[in-house]
Amino acid sequence: MDEALKKLMISNAEISSIGIADLGCSTGPNSLFSISNIIDTIQNLCLDLDRPVPEFRVSLNDLPSNDFNHLFASLAEFYNRLNRKKDGLGLGCGGGESCFVSAVPGTFHGRLFPRRSLHFVHSSSSLHWLSQVPCREAEKEDGVNSAELYNVGKIYISKTSPKSAHKAYALQFQTDFSAFLESRSKELVPGGRMFLSLFGRSTQDPTTDESCYQWELLAQALISMAKEGIIEEEKINAFNTPYYAASSEELIMVIEKEGSFLIDRLEISPIDWEGRSINEESYDLVVRSKPESLASRRRFSNTIRAVAEPMLEPMFGENVMDELFERYAKIVGEYLYVSSPRFVIIILSLVRTG
């Protein structure tokens, strides 16, 4: 991200007010972390370039259901930190009087900001979420039995899912990502930049473990409850997770087809299930003790619960969530004891043409 910001500042020598957006900011202790890093980097660049620091127009975006009040409650410390940094660097501006933070609730799959009002867009761990569950009706094919259009016993695409489900997910992601790019192309100034990171995959196959196995294990927990009559199996068949781990080839295809951005950088970075970077050359099966496996499964289960429970609860009910994620943690622990699973993070640095 530092390199993208450096190129942005060098190409905009006269900039006095910079528009920054963090899309999918969420809420919690780390919600302002990326914005703090962006501002710190720009301040340091201005010091190196012997230029005045611009004022910052920061927009925090997430869905309307996000707890923005909690986020704003942390702004006082955020501004205090900016002022301490300003004083430490001897900068002429910084802090609350030159950093203006606002919230912009809404989906980033559509327009959020005025035309040409942004210089830098950041989004981390958000673009793999789809705007809606893929539509089966759009993917009906001649000769396909209607029952096969349902992802039976699964909550995401898997090796046993019908091809129609694979196509529906890919199409929904391409539609969403194209809409995202088109909207940002109107909001960014020419030469503006985006730095995006999202969960993806390193192969063409959308059913590899790195892209879907966390959902496969959650489906196993749900099925075990259905067999005991705790939940209805029909509800599992009707539920699909609005998530898609795209390949780099898919991302490039959509970017080139939409046509408003050039790819400055594309990087594929593997991480383990606890978010630690993986060295491909030395990565091998991690042998965990029982206590280590227990601790890992609990952390991972809690992470998945935080993102999945709001989607699962309306379908299956609040009263089964504790039992579901207890079972999920047990299944995850058994899997981690014999496997070293990984995720793939795709990092994109894009430049607005024109």
Side-chain angles (χ1 to χ4, degrees):
M1 185 166 66
D2 290 3
E3 182 182 353
L5 288 167
K6 183 176 181 179
K7 291 178 179 179
L8 174 69
M9 297 305 294
I10 289 175
S11 62
N12 290 270
E14 303 301 321
I15 191 169
S16 60
S17 178
I18 184 169
I20 302 167
D22 188 16
L23 307 183
C25 65
S26 188
T27 190
N30 295 322
S31 293
L32 293 169
F33 181 75
S34 295
I35 291 298
S36 294
N37 284 343
I38 291 169
I39 292 175
D40 284 352
T41 300
I42 293 175
Q43 288 178 332
N44 290 329
L45 284 169
C46 289
L47 195 64
D48 293 341
L49 296 169
D50 194 25
R51 284 166 45 179
V53 177
E55 65 179 16
F56 298 98
R57 292 175 284 109
V58 175
S59 298
L60 303 174
N61 159 259
D62 213 311
L63 295 173
S65 57
N66 190 54
D67 188 356
F68 287 103
N69 286 332
H70 180 80
L71 190 58
F72 284 147
S74 63
L75 282 179
E77 175 55 32
F78 172 76
Y79 284 136
N80 287 337
R81 180 184 175 281
L82 286 186
N83 282 320
R84 291 195 298 270
K85 177 71 182 295
K86 174 196 69 173
D87 295 339
L89 293 177
L91 297 171
C93 61
E97 73 275 12
S98 63
C99 180
F100 306 94
V101 179
S102 61
V104 183
T107 173
F108 53 50
H109 294 113
R111 287 289 302 276
L112 292 166
F113 308 101
R115 188 177 294 269
R116 297 192 173 187
S117 60
L118 299 176
H119 296 83
F120 191 80
V121 170
H122 173 267
S123 181
S124 176
S125 300
S126 295
L127 281 165
H128 44 261
W129 293 110
L130 303 176
S131 64
Q132 62 182 26
V133 174
C135 178
R136 299 185 187 97
E137 296 300 318
E139 286 301 306
K140 283 188 176 179
E141 303 175 50
D142 292 337
V144 176
N145 184 291
S146 61
E148 293 177 352
L149 294 169
Y150 289 81
N151 204 12
V152 176
K154 307 294 180 182
I155 62 172
Y156 184 61
I157 49 177
S158 70
K159 296 185 186 301
T160 61
S161 300
K163 294 299 182 184
S164 57
H166 295 182
K167 291 181 65 176
Y169 267 90
L171 179 62
Q172 186 64 55
F173 177 81
Q174 291 163 20
T175 300
D176 285 349
F177 190 46
S178 181
F180 174 88
L181 294 173
E182 182 180 359
S183 296
R184 304 295 84 76
S185 72
K186 294 179 173 66
E187 297 162 353
L188 279 159
V189 300
R193 291 180 174 264
M194 290 202 292
F195 189 85
L196 316 173
S197 65
L198 65 157
F199 285 97
R201 64 182 194 269
S202 58
T203 70
Q204 293 280 15
D205 182 2
T207 66
T208 55
D209 288 356
E210 69 185 17
S211 63
C212 66
Y213 211 67
Q214 71 274 29
W215 307 117
E216 178 76 14
L217 298 182
L218 187 55
Q220 290 178 21
L222 287 165
I223 288 292
S224 72
M225 295 175 71
K227 288 180 178 178
E228 296 177 22
I230 300 173
I231 60 175
E232 298 173 27
E233 188 170 353
E234 291 76 12
K235 290 185 176 181
I236 302 174
N237 297 337
F239 181 87
N240 283 289
T241 306
Y243 169 99
Y244 186 72
S247 66
S248 58
E249 291 83 2
E250 286 175 295
L251 292 166
I252 292 169
M253 178 191 70
V254 176
I255 292 166
E256 291 181 344
K257 184 176 180 181
E258 195 279 329
S260 299
F261 293 90
L262 296 176
I263 300 174
D264 188 49
R265 176 189 173 199
L266 189 155
E267 179 182 323
I268 296 175
S269 178
I271 60 172
D272 67 19
W273 272 21
E274 294 192 79
R276 296 177 295 229
S277 296
I278 291 171
N279 184 333
E280 291 279 23
E281 295 180 357
S282 61
Y283 187 63
D284 204 347
L285 178 64
V286 176
V287 179
R288 292 180 173 88
S289 66
K290 285 289 186 180
E292 288 173 332
S293 181
L294 179 63
S296 294
R297 81 182 191 186
R298 186 63 59 192
R299 287 192 294 268
F300 184 76
S301 176
N302 289 340
T303 298
I304 294 297
R305 181 171 186 169
V307 297
E309 186 170 14
M311 299 182 288
L312 293 164
E313 191 174 290
M315 175 68 80
F316 300 103
E318 180 182 1
N319 61 316
V320 303
M321 289 296 107
D322 288 344
E323 173 68 17
L324 170 60
F325 285 99
E326 280 294 327
R327 294 183 184 222
Y328 183 57
K330 182 178 179 180
I331 293 171
V332 167
E334 293 170 353
Y335 181 60
L336 290 176
Y337 191 58
V338 298
S339 304
S340 297
R342 71 177 195 173
F343 290 130
V344 166
I345 301 294
I346 297 181
I347 297 169
L348 278 169
S349 182
L350 306 179
V351 186
R352 173 70 172 96
T353 59

